[in-house]
Each structure stands twice: as C-alpha cells, then as structure tokens.
C-alpha cells in the first residue's frame, strides 16, 4: 500500500512539473508573442480580404517567380531597381508562412503596393500582363475574370479598363471576380517603404512602451 502511495506521489509530482514547464516554456511565451507588435513601424495586420488574396498568391504560384526580399546594396542593386530598402525581420511580422521566394523570374514584390498603387493597373496587368508590360513572360490569369455584356454589369462589378488592343470582342467588358480583387488587395498591401529605426532606438521605444 505504501509503495502504491509513493508511486502516486511520484506520478503527481511529475505531472505538476510537466504542467509548470509547459506553462513557462509554451503558454506564457505564446501569450506575450500574441500581444507583441512591430515597434517603430507603420506596419498593420492584413485585412480579411488581404489574407484571402494572400491565399490566392500562394495557390497561383506567384511565389515561384517573385521574391519578397529586397537585398542589401552590397549583394544586389535592388534599390537602384526601385524595389526599396533592404528588408528587415519586422517587415514580415504578420506573414505566416513567409513568402520570401527564391526566384526572380519577375521583379521583387515586397513593395509593389508602393511602386504601383493603382488597383485598375494591377487588375489589368493580372488579366493580361503584356497589355501593360510588352514582352512580359508572366502568365495571364483570365480565369480570375469574366466577360459581361454592358447591360448585365451591376453597380458592384469592377470593370477592367483595358487598352483598346486588348478589349474583348462583341462589345463585352471584362469584370473582375472576387479572387482577382482579393489578390490585388494583397498586392497593394505589400508596402514596406516606411523608415526603419536603428536598433538602439527600437530598444528605447520598447522600454518606453513597457516592453522589457
């Protein structure tokens, strides 16, 4: 009987130690991480539409041809290409999974929302890239759009204003589907042109904000 009680005490003690270790190493850090925010930046969480567009970005394989990591001038002339300052860790605070990419068949897109903030341009380029960038190797995504007769267009429809040479035949117009609108909303959210603070200034702001 005494041996049984000792075993029970050992098992109970082990469970208590495991629970405390889990709380200290998993639960508490998770709580603090969920309350964290990127200090010293204008970065905002993605909206629901932007998150839906991010899923379209992944599903349509955009990550295979585009990176999202402008590099340091010592590594590549990305700044001279107009792609923005070198990226830093806080630029990806709200990204999960990260879409850094490893190929540059097309340009880096981390700041495409700043370089080309026009939704109309982004939608038209998505429908037919060569209408806006002659010689582009980017595939067109016509399945993210539909053709409608002007008399069937509703107030909520977003009609794409294409160059004359790319207008559909028979008097129809091109209307963006929701997946195209979502994807473009995500692309327009890719704007990391805010200035970044030196490390010592970030530490100072964290202390002022009560984060030690």
């Amino acid at each position: 009987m005494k041996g049984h009680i000792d075993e029970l005490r050992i098992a109970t003690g082990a469970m208590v130690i495991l629970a405390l270790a889990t709380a200290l190493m998993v639960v508490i850090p998770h709580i603090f991480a969920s309350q964290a925010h990127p200090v010293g930046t204008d970065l905002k969480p993605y909206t629901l539409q932007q998150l839906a567009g991010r899923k379209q970005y992944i599903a349509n394989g955009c990550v295979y041809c585009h990176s999202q990591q402008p590099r340091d001038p010592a590594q590549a002339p990305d700044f001279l290409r107009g792609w923005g300052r070198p990226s830093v860790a806080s630029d990806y605070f709200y990204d999960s999974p990260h879409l850094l990419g490893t190929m540059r068949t097309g340009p880096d897109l981390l700041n495409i929302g700043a370089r080309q903030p026009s939704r109309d341009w982004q939608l038209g380029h998505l429908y037919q890239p060569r209408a806006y960038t002659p010689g582009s190797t980017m595939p067109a995504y016509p399945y993210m759009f539909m053709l409608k007769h002007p008399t069937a267009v509703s107030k909520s429809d977003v009609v794409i204003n294409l160059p004359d040479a790319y207008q559909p035949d028979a008097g129809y117009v091109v209307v963006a589907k929701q997946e195209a609108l979502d994807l473009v909303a995500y692309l327009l959210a890719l704007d990391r042109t805010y200035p970044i603070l030196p490390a010592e200034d970030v530490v100072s702001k964290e202390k002022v904000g009560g984060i030690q």
Side-chain angles (χ1 to χ4, degrees):
M1 184 69 178
K2 183 178 179 180
H4 177 71
I5 294 176
D6 290 341
E7 291 177 357
L8 182 61
R9 287 176 177 174
I10 292 172
T12 302
M15 293 178 65
V16 170
I17 293 173
L18 179 62
L20 288 174
T22 301
L24 290 172
M25 299 177 67
V26 179
V27 178
I28 294 177
H30 175 74
I31 292 173
F32 278 105
S34 64
Q35 296 174 346
H37 61 281
V39 178
T41 75
D42 295 326
L43 189 63
K44 297 178 181 179
Y46 293 113
T47 65
L48 291 177
Q49 183 180 26
Q50 290 164 358
L51 286 174
R54 197 169 190 273
K55 291 181 179 178
Q56 290 293 332
Y57 184 96
I58 295 171
N60 284 281
C62 303
V63 69
Y64 297 122
C65 293
H66 296 280
S67 61
Q68 289 190 25
Q69 48 175 328
R71 296 170 186 168
D72 187 271
Q75 299 176 323
D78 290 355
F79 184 79
L80 297 178
R81 293 166 173 160
W83 295 353
R85 58 162 175 77
S87 57
V88 295
S90 59
D91 291 332
Y92 310 100
F93 185 83
Y94 296 112
D95 287 29
S96 181
H98 301 95
L99 303 176
L100 300 180
T102 59
M103 295 291 292
R104 283 182 170 176
T105 306
D108 187 276
L109 294 182
L110 189 63
N111 291 301
I112 188 61
R115 297 201 306 269
Q116 188 48 265
S118 168
R119 184 180 73 162
D120 288 343
W121 188 96
Q122 294 286 357
L123 287 168
H125 183 257
L126 190 62
Y127 177 76
Q128 178 47 263
R130 279 150 295 284
Y132 299 83
T133 308
S136 172
T137 60
M138 175 177 163
Y141 295 89
Y143 54 86
M144 302 182 79
F145 301 82
M146 66 180 78
L147 297 181
K148 280 191 173 184
H149 193 273
T151 58
V153 174
S154 66
K155 291 183 179 179
S156 61
D157 286 333
V158 177
V159 177
I160 311 306
N161 298 312
L162 294 164
D164 292 340
Y166 292 89
Q167 290 287 352
D169 297 330
Y172 283 82
V173 295
V174 178
V175 175
K177 294 182 180 179
Q178 188 60 49
E179 52 260 47
L181 297 173
D182 292 344
L183 177 53
V184 167
Y186 170 66
L187 293 174
L188 294 178
L190 294 178
D191 181 352
R192 307 295 189 267
T193 54
Y194 49 77
I196 56 174
L197 294 175
E200 58 270 19
D201 290 344
V202 172
V203 172
S204 176
K205 278 184 172 290
E206 288 178 344
K207 290 182 178 179
V208 171
I211 303 173
Q212 302 296 326

